[in-house]
Amino acid sequence: MSKVIVIGGGAAGMMAAIAAAKNGHKVVLLEQNEKLGKKLFITGKGRCNVTNACEVEKLFENVISNPKFLYSAFYSFDNQQMMGLLEEAGCPLKIERGERVCPVSDHSSDVIAALQRELKKRQVEIRFHTKVKTLCIKEGHIRGAVLNTGQREEADAVILATGGLSYPTTGSTGDGYRMAEEAGHTIKECSPALVPFETAEGWCKELQGLSLKNINLSMYDGKKEVYQGFGEMLFTHFGVSGPLVLSSSSFYGKCKKKEAVTLVLDLKPALSEEQLDKRVLRDFEEVQNKQFKNALNGLFPAKFVPVIISLSGIEPEKKVNEITKEERKNLVYLTKHLTMQVKGTRDFNEAIITRGGIHVKEVNPSTMESKLVEGLYFAGEVLDLDALTGGFNLQIAWSTGYLAGASVR
């Protein structure tokens, strides 16, 4: 029986500990916080979107960085197995829109409690307030870890599951990157992902708090479209956020001309420009004697009207029956192509995940073991893996954690 140290008590760490203990190893889980799953607790605004119930093949389609690396992980422990584990551990689940899977209670604490029951059942030793300073490596083999207190903890294998840099208040300090780098691994540059955008337009602030549903968002790197999605977004005091924006931000890191990145909104995606023009013309005919500023409430939310009027270039007091065909066409085009200039993303404090991390070419995808240090394994966000919203990033954590734990010899 080997002794295994798991560093980090988040989603990947807990799963790695469960899998290693299930295989008969003595497992010690080291967590620097006062409790397990601190980031998991706030996931999905506290509801915890644990995975996505799609077909396994679709999991790969939603991974942005290095999807092929996850082949063994996803097929060793997939979304259905994860759902089964939680339900058997006493956490009933439900499937919502977009095949998102959440606990029936809508409480992330129930997911954490179920995993803790599994850890207890497998007799995993958990040590809180325990921070690891460095890894012990001798002649290319892991020997354990040195704690911040100076105490040395011997082990036959170590699973590094310390998370990324997002939400640093939960303990995501990037220590795992430092330890991996000290062990000889390459760290791909880290940046915030699934994160709101700051925009150049001042009018975004005027719309603060306004949520738009059923719209289309496209992101362009210069003239090249790099993302296109349908759904919901939110205006903020600094720019834009919401599901569509967070998903588009995953592609921002790949943009070559960041100073030329724009977001284009189609506020009426169900209508072609020709159909929308007919709709506007019909609306205008019904209110032809009104001023332009009082003629748009049927087309846009009230809060949006002053902004649209300003951007349209049409005088607010102008009578509707005096609006020219060209002005109307410009209004239609604006509605279908509302453009914003991206200044950059918000920082790691507001990012759901981290893009970048340990270079996957230096990790065995069949076992999650380091190709450089025998007995050292990696799991979760510390690796250069990231996906879109919808439970896919947590599934990466569960699958890589399980495979790492199950692969310990």
Side-chain angles (χ1 to χ4, degrees), residues 20-241:
K22 194 176 175 182
N23 275 10
H25 300 293
K26 174 178 169 51
V27 181
V28 179
L29 177 57
L30 306 179
E31 170 53 54
Q32 65 179 351
N33 290 317
E34 75 287 355
K35 59 185 177 183
L36 298 175
K38 219 168 178 184
K39 185 176 174 184
L40 196 60
F41 185 72
I42 61 172
T43 301
K45 296 177 182 175
R47 295 179 65 240
C48 193
N49 176 193
V50 291
T51 187
N52 193 285
C54 65
E55 295 294 319
V56 178
E57 290 75 19
K58 200 173 176 184
L59 291 176
F60 295 100
E61 292 172 19
N62 284 275
V63 177
I64 304 300
S65 302
N66 305 307
K68 290 179 182 176
F69 175 80
L70 288 162
Y71 189 87
S72 292
F74 280 162
Y75 279 105
S76 294
F77 189 74
D78 64 21
N79 44 2
Q80 298 300 323
Q81 287 166 287
M82 183 59 205
M83 291 163 68
L85 183 149
L86 286 175
E87 296 208 301
E88 284 170 29
C91 179
L93 302 171
K94 59 183 175 180
I95 300 173
E96 299 184 343
R97 182 174 54 87
E99 297 191 276
R100 286 169 159 83
V101 180
C102 295
V104 170
S105 65
D106 283 333
H107 293 140
S108 54
S109 54
D110 289 348
V111 176
I112 298 166
L115 293 169
Q116 285 178 313
R117 285 191 287 273
E118 281 295 301
L119 290 165
K120 187 176 181 181
K121 178 180 166 185
R122 307 289 174 193
Q123 297 181 306
V124 172
E125 180 187 344
I126 303 168
R127 295 186 201 165
F128 296 111
H129 302 291
T130 306
K131 193 173 174 70
V132 175
K133 185 178 181 180
T134 188
L135 302 174
C136 294
I137 300 166
K138 191 175 180 183
E139 296 172 355
H141 196 292
I142 199 81
R143 300 296 181 191
V146 177
L147 309 183
N148 259 18
T149 58
Q151 178 189 335
R152 180 170 168 147
E153 190 72 34
E154 305 282 344
D156 302 294
V158 170
I159 301 173
L160 196 62
T162 49
L165 289 163
S166 57
Y167 294 137
T169 52
T170 64
S172 301
T173 56
D175 284 350
Y177 301 135
R178 175 184 53 78
M179 286 185 258
E181 204 165 23
E182 288 169 356
H185 279 275
T186 306
I187 307 300
K188 292 201 76 176
E189 185 182 356
C190 295
S191 58
L194 297 184
V195 63
F197 281 128
E198 293 184 357
T199 56
E201 287 71 23
W203 51 261
C204 283
K205 189 173 183 179
E206 295 172 40
L207 298 173
Q208 181 180 347
L210 177 65
S211 177
L212 298 179
K213 295 180 179 179
N214 303 321
I215 63 157
N216 204 81
L217 181 147
S218 300
M219 184 166 76
Y220 290 87
D221 180 7
K223 292 182 179 180
K224 182 185 176 185
E225 186 180 74
V226 292
Y227 172 82
Q228 190 270 123
F230 175 83
E232 188 176 341
M233 65 161 286
L234 173 74
F235 288 99
T236 69
H237 66 284
F238 54 77
V240 286
S241 186

Side-chain angles (χ1 to χ4, degrees), residues 129-352:
H129 302 291
T130 306
K131 193 173 174 70
V132 175
K133 185 178 181 180
T134 188
L135 302 174
C136 294
I137 300 166
K138 191 175 180 183
E139 296 172 355
H141 196 292
I142 199 81
R143 300 296 181 191
V146 177
L147 309 183
N148 259 18
T149 58
Q151 178 189 335
R152 180 170 168 147
E153 190 72 34
E154 305 282 344
D156 302 294
V158 170
I159 301 173
L160 196 62
T162 49
L165 289 163
S166 57
Y167 294 137
T169 52
T170 64
S172 301
T173 56
D175 284 350
Y177 301 135
R178 175 184 53 78
M179 286 185 258
E181 204 165 23
E182 288 169 356
H185 279 275
T186 306
I187 307 300
K188 292 201 76 176
E189 185 182 356
C190 295
S191 58
L194 297 184
V195 63
F197 281 128
E198 293 184 357
T199 56
E201 287 71 23
W203 51 261
C204 283
K205 189 173 183 179
E206 295 172 40
L207 298 173
Q208 181 180 347
L210 177 65
S211 177
L212 298 179
K213 295 180 179 179
N214 303 321
I215 63 157
N216 204 81
L217 181 147
S218 300
M219 184 166 76
Y220 290 87
D221 180 7
K223 292 182 179 180
K224 182 185 176 185
E225 186 180 74
V226 292
Y227 172 82
Q228 190 270 123
F230 175 83
E232 188 176 341
M233 65 161 286
L234 173 74
F235 288 99
T236 69
H237 66 284
F238 54 77
V240 286
S241 186
L244 267 182
V245 172
L246 298 183
S247 290
S248 69
S249 73
S250 289
F251 297 86
Y252 181 71
K254 295 184 177 182
C255 292
K256 292 173 182 175
K257 303 175 185 172
K258 291 199 169 50
E259 70 284 353
V261 175
T262 55
L263 301 177
V264 179
L265 304 183
D266 182 349
L267 303 175
K268 301 291 179 183
L271 302 174
S272 67
E273 283 194 39
E274 188 181 354
Q275 289 170 325
L276 181 57
D277 187 46
K278 287 179 180 176
R279 157 87 189 271
V280 172
L281 192 58
R282 203 164 53 242
D283 285 2
F284 279 6
E285 283 172 354
E286 291 176 7
V287 292
Q288 56 184 306
N289 293 317
K290 284 189 175 182
Q291 292 179 322
F292 177 57
K293 65 181 181 183
N294 298 319
L296 296 176
N297 289 332
L299 276 171
F300 307 102
K303 200 170 186 177
F304 217 139
V305 172
V307 169
I308 291 290
I309 290 171
S310 174
L311 295 174
S312 74
I314 302 171
E315 286 297 321
E317 281 77 28
K318 193 171 190 176
K319 287 281 185 71
V320 169
N321 58 17
E322 294 173 358
I323 292 173
T324 66
K325 182 180 179 181
E326 186 181 355
E327 286 175 325
R328 193 184 75 241
K329 293 278 188 184
N330 286 342
L331 175 65
V332 168
Y333 185 84
L334 175 66
T335 306
K336 299 284 287 181
H337 304 87
L338 184 62
T339 304
M340 293 171 284
Q341 181 77 41
V342 175
K343 282 167 53 180
T345 67
R346 299 293 276 178
D347 62 20
F348 283 109
N349 289 307
E350 295 176 50
I352 294 175

